[in-house]
Amino acid sequence: MSLAANTKKLVARLVLGTVLMFGFGFAMVPIYNVFCEITGLNGKITRTGEAEGPLVVDQDRTIKVRFISVFNEEMPWEFDPMQKVYRVNPGQMQQTAFLAKNPTANNMVAQAIPSVSPSEAAQYLQKVNCFCFDRQPLDAGASAEMPMVFFIDPEIPEHLDSITLSYTLFDITDQQQLVEAKKDNNDKRSTL
Amino acid sequence: METKNNILRGGLFGALTVPSAAYAEWGLNMPSGVTEISRSVFSLHMTIFWVCVAIAVAVFGVMFYSMFHHRKSRGAKAAHFHENTTVEVIWTVIPVAILVAMAVPSAATLIEMYDPSDAEIDVQVTGYQWKWKYDYLDEDISFFSNLATSRDAIYNAEQKGENYLLEVDNHLVVPVDTKIRFLLTANDVIHSWWVPDLAVKKDAIPGFINEAWTIIERPGIYRGQCTELCGKDHGYMPVVVEAVSKEDYAAWVASTKAAAAAKAELAGKTWTLDELMTEGEQVYLKACAACHQPNGEGLPGAFPALKNSPIAVGDVAAHIDIVVNGKPGTAMQAYKDQLSAVEMAAVITYERNAWGNNTGEAVTPGQIADMSWDMDRLMTVGEEVYGKACAACHQPNGQGIPGAFPSLVGTDIVKGDIAAHIDIVVNGKAGSAMQAFKDQLSPEEIAAVVTYERNAWGNNVGDSVKPSTVASWNGGGK
Amino acid sequence: MSTADITAEHHDEHHDHGPAKGLSRWLFTTNHKDIGSMYLWFSLAMFLVGGCMALVIRAELFQPGLQLVEPGFFNQMTTMHGLIMVFGAVMPAFVGLANWMVPMMIGAPDMALPRMNNWSFWILPFAFGMLLLTLFMDGGAPNFGWTFYAPLSTTYAPDSVTFFIFAVHMMGISSIMGAINIVATILNMRAPGMTLMKMPLFVWTWLITAYLLIAVMPVLAGVVTMMLMDIHFGTSFFDAAGGGDPVLFQHVFWFFGHPEVYIMILPAFGIVSAIIPTFARKQLFGYASMVYATASIAFLSFIVWAHHMFTVGMPLAGELFFMFATMLIAVPTGVKVFNWIATMWRGSMTFETPMLFALAFVILFTIGGLSGLMLAIAPADFQYHDTYFVVAHFHYVLVPGAIFSIMAAVYYWLPKWTGHQLNESAGKFHFWMSFIGVNITFFPMHFIGLAGMPRRIPDYALQFADFNAVASVGAFIFGLSQLIFVWNVIQNIRSGKPAEAKCWEGAEGLEWEVPSPAPYHTFTTPPQLEGAK
């Protein structure tokens, strides 16, 4: 083949390679999530919806589940678990709630970030319904009771008998305002 | 194989016969610590160390021998070999064998460390810039632990104490022979909590929870430091664990809870007249009846009556003043140092309503607190608090560090709306390094420091803040 | 440099152009010798700047208490010292040596991509100029450690962080282009008859280092870009609030960071493998296993990164894996040390300055390697991590390791570059002062680390005072000794007895076939190689 043809082929391959690498970068987002959910790395928890099929409750074991609330930086909300410690059987559905109050004079938005210790327990703590999935807005002075339903997977290994679930509350009012502003702009544009 | 066993035996022999603890005493070595794990880690460290020493001695021995004997000036003639497969295989296999021998006890110790089950006490450790917060999760006890070494000592204006940079205001008190689980997280950046005597080191990561555990065998005070760069004062946030007997721990828990309850009383609790009367009667009987008599009639000529007295039914401020500050030249003491603000408010309320006095007036603890805080006291205490809690960033002269920490001299917040100033100290400023001090300073301290800032360095705004204002501040008093 | 003189006199070449005159020569040169010289001068300047920062640090740490600087500035010094030394002194020095020596060693006339070579160099002064100027910004220079963990380096960073990120991108581009150049040169331009297994070991180690650079510098670029996104564009890679994770930063950084430290030592191995055979007058022992050992170290360097993160809260399986993999690296490294000693064994040694530095490398790097082995043991590492024990370890492998090898290389090849024999007594004086200084500075750090002193603190508890004072004295001895080095180099350029083509009695290799000083263009026609090398 002539030099020109060879060069063209090489350029085509290099361009394709670049496009593939770029696409791979985008694909990392879902791949990373899936990987962390499967392995439970870093205490990330599976977002489950309803449990599949009836659960077999293991009456012979109790697992101690402790809830902790942590406030990032100067987050001024009050945020406490309704009950701090539960002793549940694996497979038993348990309902609980967190009481949140915004005592300031401003409307705010919070995000609760969960973290589980020990990290290998994360995959066994199944949250059927959790407020941590969504952003939580609270007006000035308002309170809310934020429900959560969970169960411990009966498959949980013998040596794990105590799980700690912490929620770190972050103030995302500023970021939310940015998002709202952007949305408003987009809406305005689309009505033109 | 033979060689490897000999090396192992030699290494273990060395590690065991030479009293390992002696090395720990020099202050040049890792401490062997006060837990089973810390002792395992120490002996692992010493074993590995001696293995490395043995390797170094062997390798350098051969090398120095060669450097001495195989030199041109001694007439050595260069040989011509440049490979030898047998020798190369040997010196690949032997290191692998040594490594396998090292890996076994190492893995065993690590597996032991990764078992936090059956903990009896849970303590949440939160790293802040630049202090630690400890929460005893089952006891509802929570406090900050700040460096106690003075700025003067750090800046060489004062002699440094024995525990320079390793002392704090509030120790983490724990019982011995009890499995304690630490749940670590952070408020802002990554910190790391380390106590060498316990061989516990774990990173505190914002948004995440980490776990570590220990069982301390001996009572004592064990000091450590933050071990992850976390900003300016990374070197100034030590860890002090005080291990005490189980009985002493129970006593400490009880007294700490009592003290916290007393503090909470002032923080915005609303007292009804009945509550004040009930409490007030107790206080009166305990602290006043000896002189003024249980029936309030006093002893004529010696101690004035309170029943129908002009002070008890007249101007409230004068009544408060005489109880708080006493009456110089008489036997009427200043009770501000003997009774809490709650007790004083209650007893004054009682005196104004008992024995038919019936003014119907109630005095709140907040009013009492405010009474004893005049401008002078606010400024004096405020300057102290400023030096302890604010000067590190805003500097002793109030001018801050441009680009990093704002100046407080002549700036909008300090000279403007006092509510905004109080709010930023109480609740902090989200997105910046300015923390919420409501959990770290009492309402009196905050009132004092805000007053100080508004009037120091030529700011001279002229206003001041009452402790009761801070105590009931929105978003405050958690 | 003296290569300018030779054009008028030594004309072996067929074509006639010598170097341009004046500043344009240096701005526009595509000559590997010129570019190598510029890299080396740049590296020396950065070494002195970074060294001054180290002396500020050690001066403050001479006594407990704060005497000279505030903690905020101290953090800037530790950060900048690390960045300047890693990216501005060690790496450019090795690249400069590669530029000078690799073409000559393989019998090539120049690098494969000479113009890109020029650009690779000229990026650096601008990148570092920008980085150093951040010292004058409001909020100060980067102060979050050379490892710049998030969120200290994102949410809580001073404004200079953006310029830091820009500078890192620039340095990264320089390194990647340089590495591509090296690979292309070595794979395509070797003289006929020089198979891969006949190349000098310095060329082999640089070939492998170049692959490491190409693999991991983009990862560094990725992590600083993610930082940039988090700081300025509202993303949450490292921010838990948005679903991100500060530990992700550490994983990505160290995936670059660990191979990076091997990038900083493999060329050193190559240098020592050239010098010891020369001064022992004996061929390098076990050439093939040296190549395989280097390749194994490079491969293993990709799977050990989390040994920098043992305290971060990794699952047990992860900790065990990284512990075992890290311990394994001791094997090929040990093989190399044994091979060097076997080269010395029954040789006929003399101890000129390059040999002194090379032997000191073997001894002191081994000490650093053994403390590294101790650090690999994860349960023990819980007591060592982020203390001065780690500082001692990496300074041993970097200062009497990488830096000594660079000085050894400079002393070794200076006569070839300048045409003047070394002033041996001056060289030996520099060596002994450095050797003594380096040990007084860093050996005590093992002890204070074990006794409990954390890293990156401007002030310390009283029990650490004595050894800190000793280390500070050592630091000043070592620092001032480097002025001897500067003097030696400048002296050698300007004067000295003429050197022959083969400057050292036992030297072997194509670079010793060309005259000293080396002509501006060498091997414009490929050399004829005689049989086995």
Side-chain angles (χ1 to χ4, degrees):
Chain A
M1 247 200 285
S2 73
L3 181 61
N6 269 334
T7 308
K8 265 207 199 122
K9 207 166 90 164
L10 179 64
V11 169
R13 285 194 182 143
L14 288 174
V15 169
L16 180 65
T18 309
V19 169
L20 285 174
M21 288 195 279
F22 211 67
F24 182 64
F26 272 95
M28 289 314 290
V29 174
I31 292 178
Y32 179 64
N33 269 330
V34 169
F35 184 73
C36 282
E37 281 177 18
I38 294 178
T39 61
L41 273 179
N42 251 331
K44 291 243 182 285
I45 319 173
T46 43
R47 302 175 167 211
T48 48
E50 292 297 320
E52 324 139 347
L55 284 169
V56 178
V57 178
D58 181 352
Q59 302 284 6
D60 298 323
R61 292 176 70 188
T62 37
I63 312 276
K64 174 172 149 191
V65 179
R66 175 190 289 285
F67 291 101
I68 296 180
S69 51
V70 182
F71 300 87
N72 182 263
E73 285 189 343
E74 299 80 39
M75 186 51 169
W77 286 21
E78 291 164 24
F79 180 66
D80 296 293
M82 201 169 74
Q83 182 174 324
K84 287 195 208 163
V85 179
Y86 286 91
R87 291 196 154 72
V88 295
N89 300 122
Q92 169 196 342
M93 203 65 97
Q94 176 68 53
Q95 165 119 19
T96 182
F98 276 71
L99 307 164
K101 177 169 174 192
N102 174 358
T104 69
N106 310 307
N107 299 347
M108 294 177 66
V109 186
Q111 177 78 51
I113 299 291
S115 179
V116 173
S117 190
S119 48
E120 49 172 332
Q123 53 191 305
Y124 301 105
L125 175 57
Q126 310 281 15
K127 306 205 311 286
V128 174
N129 206 334
C130 178
F131 58 87
C132 55
F133 297 153
D134 310 306
R135 297 185 189 88
Q136 292 298 323
L138 267 185
D139 286 344
S143 323
E145 192 180 291
M146 289 147 54
M148 197 201 125
V149 182
F150 72 94
F151 67 92
I152 309 287
D153 192 324
E155 304 285 304
I156 188 168
E158 280 301 314
H159 66 273
L160 292 173
D161 65 4
S162 180
I163 300 179
T164 308
L165 171 52
S166 87
Y167 282 103
T168 306
L169 210 60
F170 288 86
D171 176 5
I172 57 168
T173 313
D174 291 338
Q175 290 94 302
Q176 270 302 96
Q177 282 166 356
L178 276 174
V179 169
E180 301 293 320
K182 257 184 85 180
K183 257 187 61 188
D184 284 340
N185 280 335
N186 286 339
D187 290 338
K188 283 204 195 90
R189 256 187 255 127
S190 65
T191 56
L192 282 173
Chain B
M1 266 350 239
E2 177 83 284
T3 339
K4 161 214 159 192
N5 281 336
N6 283 334
I7 293 176
L8 255 183
R9 281 196 207 106
L12 282 170
F13 183 75
L16 294 171
T17 52
V18 185
S20 300
Y23 291 105
E25 299 307 311
W26 292 352
L28 302 177
N29 198 357
M30 188 190 292
S32 57
V34 296
T35 74
E36 206 185 303
I37 295 281
S38 70
R39 280 196 305 279
S40 290
V41 166
F42 177 76
S43 62
L44 189 61
H45 156 71
M46 289 310 290
T47 309
I48 307 296
F49 170 69
W50 285 120
V51 168
C52 288
V53 167
I55 294 172
V57 164
V59 170
F60 297 152
V62 171
M63 194 174 162
F64 294 150
Y65 178 87
S66 178
M67 279 160 72
F68 186 68
H69 283 278
H70 302 143
R71 47 164 89 190
K72 187 173 175 198
S73 58
R74 278 183 112 234
K77 286 270 184 285
H80 294 289
F81 66 88
H82 54 85
E83 51 195 7
N84 183 328
T85 317
T86 321
V87 153
E88 295 212 58
V89 167
I90 293 178
W91 71 39
T92 309
V93 167
I94 292 183
V96 172
I98 296 178
L99 289 176
V100 169
M102 286 161 83
V104 172
S106 306
T109 310
L110 191 64
I111 291 171
E112 255 180 74
M113 287 168 105
Y114 262 77
D115 171 32
S117 58
D118 299 322
E120 296 164 63
I121 294 184
D122 286 342
V123 177
Q124 181 183 329
V125 177
T126 310
Y128 279 68
Q129 284 179 317
W130 292 283
K131 62 202 90 178
W132 296 98
K133 178 161 171 261
Y134 300 118
D135 289 271
Y136 292 72
L137 293 170
D138 291 314
E139 304 289 358
D140 224 12
I141 291 178
S142 170
F143 54 84
F144 281 87
S145 182
N146 295 279
L147 176 70
T149 305
S150 68
R151 275 181 71 82
D152 281 342
I154 294 173
Y155 284 94
N156 310 303
E158 191 183 275
Q159 182 85 308
K160 295 174 173 57
E162 192 194 333
N163 291 312
Y164 176 71
L165 292 194
L166 292 178
E167 51 200 349
V168 295
D169 49 8
N170 300 311
H171 296 178
L172 177 68
V173 178
V174 291
V176 295
D177 297 326
T178 314
K179 187 159 183 178
I180 304 161
R181 170 170 37 220
F182 300 106
L183 294 158
L184 299 118
T185 186
N187 177 263
D188 33 50
V189 296
I190 301 181
H191 299 265
S192 188
W193 197 80
W194 182 39
V195 183
D197 281 303
L198 309 181
V200 170
K201 179 186 291 163
K202 214 45 165 253
D203 287 359
I205 302 169
F208 290 85
I209 199 105
N210 257 340
E211 235 176 75
W213 65 271
T214 192
I215 300 176
I216 306 177
E217 292 167 349
R218 253 191 285 143
I221 297 185
Y222 308 112
R223 303 174 191 271
Q225 291 185 258
C226 176
T227 40
E228 186 58 64
L229 178 64
C230 51
K232 196 168 70 74
D233 284 345
H234 162 61
Y236 297 102
M237 48 185 289
V239 173
V240 178
V241 176
E242 185 174 345
V244 297
S245 69
K246 292 193 198 181
E247 300 77 42
D248 285 343
Y249 174 70
W252 176 86
V253 168
S255 71
T256 309
K257 280 176 154 168
K263 192 172 161 204
E265 282 175 357
L266 183 55
K269 180 190 154 130
T270 326
W271 291 76
T272 64
L273 184 59
D274 285 333
E275 286 171 335
L276 286 168
M277 290 295 286
T278 315
E279 171 77 18
E281 189 177 6
Q282 300 300 318
V283 178
Y284 183 83
L285 290 172
K286 179 183 79 172
C288 322
C291 299
H292 293 289
Q293 302 308 304
N295 60 8
E297 288 172 8
L299 282 179
F303 307 113
L306 302 180
K307 176 175 170 179
N308 285 328
S309 91
I311 290 189
V313 302
D315 176 34
V316 171
H319 188 174
I320 294 175
D321 186 60
I322 203 175
V323 173
V324 171
N325 295 313
K327 189 167 178 190
T330 72
M332 177 61 189
Q333 305 155 33
Y335 278 90
K336 67 177 180 236
D337 298 317
Q338 300 177 44
L339 296 176
S340 73
V342 170
E343 288 172 321
M344 283 191 278
V347 79
I348 295 170
T349 306
Y350 177 71
E351 288 164 2
R352 298 183 77 75
N353 292 288
W355 321 299
N357 282 344
N358 295 338
T359 59
E361 285 162 345
V363 174
T364 63
Q367 280 172 274
I368 301 296
D370 292 347
M371 265 296 307
S372 52
W373 286 89
D374 60 2
M375 194 62 168
D376 279 338
R377 193 171 175 208
L378 284 168
M379 289 297 284
T380 312
V381 174
E383 189 177 3
E384 259 178 58
V385 173
Y386 183 84
K388 184 183 78 168
C390 323
C393 297
H394 291 290
Q395 302 304 300
N397 60 10
Q399 292 177 3
I401 299 178
F405 306 114
S407 168
L408 303 177
V409 181
T411 50
D412 290 340
I413 289 192
V414 212
K415 299 202 76 166
D417 175 30
I418 201 173
H421 189 175
I422 297 173
D423 192 71
I424 202 176
V425 175
V426 169
N427 288 316
K429 185 173 178 191
S432 75
M434 178 62 190
Q435 304 166 18
F437 280 90
K438 63 180 180 242
D439 295 320
Q440 305 177 42
L441 296 175
S442 69
E444 290 88 343
E445 290 174 316
I446 292 180
V449 81
V450 171
T451 305
Y452 176 72
E453 287 166 3
R454 297 179 79 76
N455 293 289
W457 317 302
N459 282 336
N460 295 336
V461 180
D463 55 8
S464 63
V465 182
K466 296 199 177 67
S468 59
T469 313
V470 179
S472 53
W473 194 259
N474 228 346
K478 235 212 296 265
Chain C
M1 292 287 267
S2 55
T3 46
D5 307 330
I6 53 94
T7 46
E9 290 134 83
H10 307 274
H11 260 313
D12 312 304
E13 305 357 296
H14 293 299
H15 31 273
D16 201 36
H17 66 83
K21 300 279 177 272
L23 197 58
S24 355
R25 169 181 170 181
W26 302 103
L27 282 175
F28 302 116
T29 180
T30 54
N31 181 287
H32 72 101
K33 302 185 176 75
D34 277 354
I35 294 173
S37 302
M38 289 195 291
Y39 267 109
L40 288 168
W41 282 116
F42 175 78
S43 152
L44 181 62
M46 290 294 106
F47 179 59
L48 295 173
V49 169
C52 287
M53 295 172 175
L55 292 181
V56 169
I57 294 170
R58 287 303 338 157
E60 178 53 60
L61 290 175
F62 180 58
Q63 283 180 300
L66 292 176
Q67 289 85 17
L68 298 171
V69 297
E70 287 296 309
F73 185 71
F74 184 87
N75 288 348
Q76 292 175 40
M77 286 291 99
T78 50
T79 306
M80 296 293 274
H81 164 73
L83 290 170
I84 302 270
M85 289 305 204
V86 167
F87 293 109
V90 173
M91 288 172 77
F94 282 134
V95 173
L97 291 169
N99 259 293
W100 249 109
M101 304 312 301
V102 166
M104 288 201 291
M105 283 174 160
I106 61 176
D110 206 305
M111 300 287 285
L113 303 159
R115 277 192 213 92
M116 190 169 85
N117 205 12
N118 171 293
W119 205 33
S120 292
F121 170 73
W122 276 108
I123 291 178
L124 294 183
F126 291 97
F128 283 90
M130 177 168 62
L131 186 62
L132 285 167
L133 283 174
T134 60
L135 281 163
F136 299 102
M137 285 177 72
D138 265 351
N143 57 7
F144 29 70
W146 92 271
T147 53
F148 54 103
Y149 284 1
L152 184 63
S153 61
T154 50
T155 319
Y156 296 82
D159 289 337
S160 53
V161 69
T162 309
F163 295 99
F164 159 76
I165 291 172
F166 192 13
V168 167
H169 270 299
M170 289 170 76
M171 297 170 214
I173 293 173
S174 161
S175 293
I176 294 173
M177 294 196 301
I180 292 173
N181 219 338
I182 302 254
V183 173
T185 308
I186 294 175
L187 293 185
N188 291 302
M189 294 172 67
R190 277 165 290 127
M194 182 176 283
T195 59
L196 285 173
M197 293 306 266
K198 289 203 182 117
M199 300 193 304
L201 211 65
F202 180 65
V203 180
W204 255 118
T205 54
W206 247 115
L207 178 63
I208 294 175
T209 305
Y211 276 110
L212 284 179
L213 277 165
I214 293 171
V216 300
M217 293 305 294
V219 177
L220 177 65
V223 79
V224 298
T225 308
M226 287 196 276
M227 269 171 75
L228 191 73
M229 295 290 123
D230 270 15
I231 294 170
H232 292 291
F233 299 109
T235 58
S236 305
F237 291 104
F238 310 127
D239 177 9
D245 185 357
V247 177
L248 171 67
F249 177 91
Q250 296 185 35
H251 280 292
V252 183
F253 175 80
W254 284 116
F255 189 76
F256 149 77
H258 196 79
E260 164 66 15
V261 308
Y262 288 99
I263 287 168
M264 289 197 283
I265 203 66
L266 292 187
F269 292 162
I271 291 165
V272 168
S273 305
I275 292 178
I276 293 186
T278 298
F279 294 95
R281 292 159 183 75
K282 190 158 153 286
Q283 201 178 333
L284 180 68
F285 185 92
Y287 175 90
S289 42
M290 290 296 255
V291 173
Y292 300 140
T294 311
S296 326
I297 292 172
F299 166 72
L300 283 171
S301 74
F302 281 103
I303 58 171
V304 297
W305 75 89
H307 66 227
H308 299 273
M309 298 163 57
F310 278 144
T311 59
V312 106
M314 265 194 291
L316 179 62
E319 301 246 336
L320 286 170
F321 169 75
F322 283 108
M323 172 166 73
F324 297 146
T326 307
M327 290 168 80
L328 264 186
I329 300 197
V331 177
T333 314
V335 162
K336 295 182 87 74
V337 173
F338 301 146
N339 282 10
W340 289 320
I341 299 179
T343 307
M344 294 160 64
W345 191 261
R346 290 179 56 204
S348 175
M349 283 187 275
T350 50
F351 300 95
E352 287 87 333
T353 306
M355 181 62 158
L356 289 174
F357 274 102
L359 291 175
F361 173 95
V362 175
I363 299 171
L364 300 176
F365 175 81
T366 301
I367 293 178
L370 289 171
S371 64
L373 182 58
M374 291 171 74
L375 287 163
I377 308 296
D381 183 63
F382 281 98
Q383 299 280 57
Y384 308 138
H385 175 70
D386 246 295
T387 67
Y388 262 79
F389 191 80
V390 179
V391 177
H393 158 71
F394 67 70
H395 279 96
Y396 259 87
V397 292
L398 281 174
V399 186
I403 300 281
F404 271 27
S405 76
I406 291 167
M407 292 177 179
V410 169
Y411 280 121
Y412 185 54
W413 284 313
L414 251 185
K416 174 60 54 185
W417 302 337
T418 64
H420 298 132
Q421 289 179 32
L422 277 188
N423 179 337
E424 266 304 317
S425 35
K428 289 192 166 84
F429 180 45
H430 172 229
F431 170 74
W432 284 109
M433 294 299 291
S434 299
F435 180 81
I436 292 168
V438 108
N439 281 297
I440 297 179
T441 310
F442 299 114
F443 204 70
M445 291 185 183
H446 292 106
F447 301 122
I448 53 181
L450 292 178
M453 180 174 172
R455 278 175 81 169
R456 296 168 165 170
I457 57 178
D459 192 3
Y460 46 80
L462 299 179
Q463 64 261 37
F464 308 125
D466 292 337
F467 277 6
N468 264 293
V470 171
S472 291
V473 169
F476 275 85
I477 295 175
F478 180 73
L480 292 170
S481 312
Q482 304 323 305
L483 298 175
I484 309 172
F485 179 60
V486 176
W487 191 87
N488 285 356
V489 169
I490 295 178
Q491 260 291 51
N492 183 277
I493 293 169
R494 298 166 86 215
S495 64
K497 290 197 223 124
E500 299 170 355
K502 189 161 150 166
C503 308
W504 310 105
E505 190 194 335
E508 303 280 344
L510 286 175
E511 72 266 34
W512 307 109
E513 310 291 316
V514 304
S516 306
Y520 199 57
H521 298 292
T522 42
F523 298 120
T524 43
T525 45
Q528 292 304 324
L529 295 182
E530 18 122 338
K533 205 51 200 112

